[in-house]
Each structure stands twice: as structure tokens, then as C-alpha cells.
Amino acid sequence: MSLPVSPKDPVNARILSVAEDRVEGFRFRPFDAVAEASGVGAGVVLARLRAMLEAGVVRRVRQTLQTARLARGALVAWRLPEERLRAAWLWLKRNDPFTGHIVIRRAEGRVPGEEYRLWTTLKVPAGCNTPEGHCRLVSRFIGAESWALLPAKGVFVLGVGHVRRRGLRPGDRLPRPAGMRTLRPLVLSPGEWRVLLALKEPLAPGEMVPEPWSGRAGRLGLSPGEFRRAAEELDEKGALGRFAVFLEHVRVRSADGPVTGYNGLFHWTVPRGMEERAGGECGRHLCMTHCYWRTGAGSLFGGAQIMGVVHGSCREEVFAHKAAIDAHLARCGIPVLHTAVFRSELSEVRPSELSPDVYRSWLAGVSGGALRSSS
């Protein structure tokens, strides 16, 4: 008998409420950690997650990295002619492994920057290029008229957790403001990079076993113990994020429909000097999956410094959360000088490639004319 693969199945929901974003750091037996926190047996956890992965309900299972500390990056907003948007989206999906999230958005209402409809996240491996240089290269291929780099100065929230966020009421929040993490770069040895790059690759269904890293260790010529010690040292340095399960939240993969129906990128502009406080108050709201203090917007996006994302079943639900956050900022005495919402219309979400060797090979291909434009 086949196993249920819907995220709404009660057992799957218990597993996913932990597995999406609640297993912090490196775990040599990560599925045991999910089992312990969810109260579901480890064998059931493995079988259910494997079934969801094979059905496409789960799009990947992987060890996440602190990518902002391992490569130079930014959120990038692109302005293109309307007729080139989808071709540019497709070109980036097929040809630029250093661009992670690729989202066509549309502003709700008339707001500054509404003509910037393509939004991407970019990571450029250390020593290979700059985000500005990478965007100059890419713009030639996708036909961009202009772009804006919006690097993060601080992170307040980063953890999707669609299942555990179901049923939230507008205004539900943590008892304290979210703390801000700054993004200090890390320098790793070649050996550490080998282990890191082995860790970051998504697990195949056949690797969904109690000790998934033993096979990766063998491919590097390391014993499981050596691999474990190296990974734990990377974790202590702050190079690793969570062990995480990523749902296919837009495309329909189960009979009960997609996980979310509306995705909004929120912008807030607050008085200078209040950015960290405002970000903490926005980020304490449990509906927010991402919340950053970003720089570089200037007048282009109304001077927005705090940017974050909320997912919901429909537009009305997401806007109710937005209204609750705005009301909370007002109660805290934080003036909002400008705010906007950019909704998602088409998205591709994947981890950015971080390998310097891969970047150098890609750059040689670009210079040698191996890639064609999106026209």
C-alpha cells in the first residue's frame, strides 16, 4: 500500500512541522532529530519523507549553508521589457547556477520601482567576481535595461516552515523582537570546501537512510568519523545552516493542491537609525519566512530598508498579516515612511552554486561564447 504524500496528512504534517526548518546545524543522523522533535518514529519519518520526495511533494532534502558568509551576494531587482520577462526568467533558470531564487513579481498598486518585475538572489563565490560584475555579464544575455543590487546588512528571519505556519492569526508573534545576525565572511581551506560542497548537495531518495553522510564520506575518501568531525568543525565556524526539507509550495504535486497560493515581498521604509529596531519588530511576526535589513534601494524603491516575505493561502490572508505588522510598528512608535507589496507570479527556488571552480568554468564558457542570449 502506498504511503500518503500530502503535506496535510496528519503524520506528514507532524514530520514537516519540524523537518522544514527546525533542525539547526549539522546532525550526523538528521532524521533521528526530526523523529525526536516530532514524536514520530525514525523509520516512519524516513519512509514518509522518501515517499514525498519521490512524489515531488518535497522538492529537495539537504543541509543548508550560511551562504551569505561563503560568497558575496545580494537580492537583485531587474528591469526588462515586458515581452522579455519570461525568456529572461528561463535563461537564468537554465544558465546561471549562481542565481538562486528567480521570481517574476508584480507590485500591488502604483509604487516606486514597480517596473522592476524580475527579482533574483545572487551568490558570487569568493575571489571570482563581484555581484556588480556578474550582473553586467548576465544583463547582456537577458536584455536587462537596468538592475539594482540590494545586499543584506543584517538578517532577522530565515526559515520557511510552511506547515508549521498554517493557522497563524494576523499579529501572532514572538514575545521579543527578532535578533539581527550580521554577515561576516568566512575563509575556508580547500579540504573544508570539499566537505562543504559534498554536504550541500540534495539527498537522493536512495540516500534517505539513518546515516546519509556515510556515502558522501566514502566518495571523498574519508571515513564516516572523519567526515563527521570535519562537518562539525564547519558548523562551529558558522558555515552551516539547517538540515531542511523543502516543499514544492507553488506547483501542484498532491491532490489537495499547492502548499501556498500567494507570496508577497514586503517593503518598509523607516527613519534612518531605526532599521535594526524595525526589522526586529517585523521579524518577530511568525508569518514572516524571510526578513532582512537591505541597503542600496535609495529612492528607487522608496528608500525601503526592511524587506521580507510572507506566504499564505490567498491574497487576503497575506494582506491581513501585513496590516497586523503595520499596526504593530505604529504601536511601537516606528514611523513607516513608505511600504509596498510585490506579489509572486512565477518562481524558481533553488540553492545557489558556491564552488569557485564551478564559477571559473562558467566564466570561461561565457567568455568563450558558450551561452546564448534569451532572445
Side-chain angles (χ1 to χ4, degrees), residues 58-108:
V58 165
R59 70 176 185 268
R60 65 179 64 91
V61 179
R62 64 183 289 263
Q63 175 69 51
T64 68
L65 311 180
Q66 295 287 0
T67 56
R69 302 194 64 191
L70 298 164
R72 295 184 63 183
L75 179 68
V76 187
W78 301 87
R79 187 179 70 185
L80 299 100
E82 188 73 20
E83 65 273 13
R84 295 187 62 88
L85 267 177
R86 291 201 171 230
W89 180 91
L90 188 60
W91 188 94
L92 289 166
K93 176 182 175 180
R94 290 175 173 173
N95 297 294
D96 186 358
F98 312 99
T99 288
H101 294 50
I102 312 167
V103 187
I104 294 178
R105 295 189 177 275
R106 186 180 296 277
E108 293 277 5

Side-chain angles (χ1 to χ4, degrees), residues 14 32 71 95 104 109 126 148 162 204 215 234 241 290 294 331 335 337 341 370:
R14 285 174 63 189
D32 287 358
N95 297 294
I104 294 178
H162 295 298
L234 286 167
H290 303 69
R294 293 195 177 277
R331 287 193 298 272
L337 309 179
V341 178

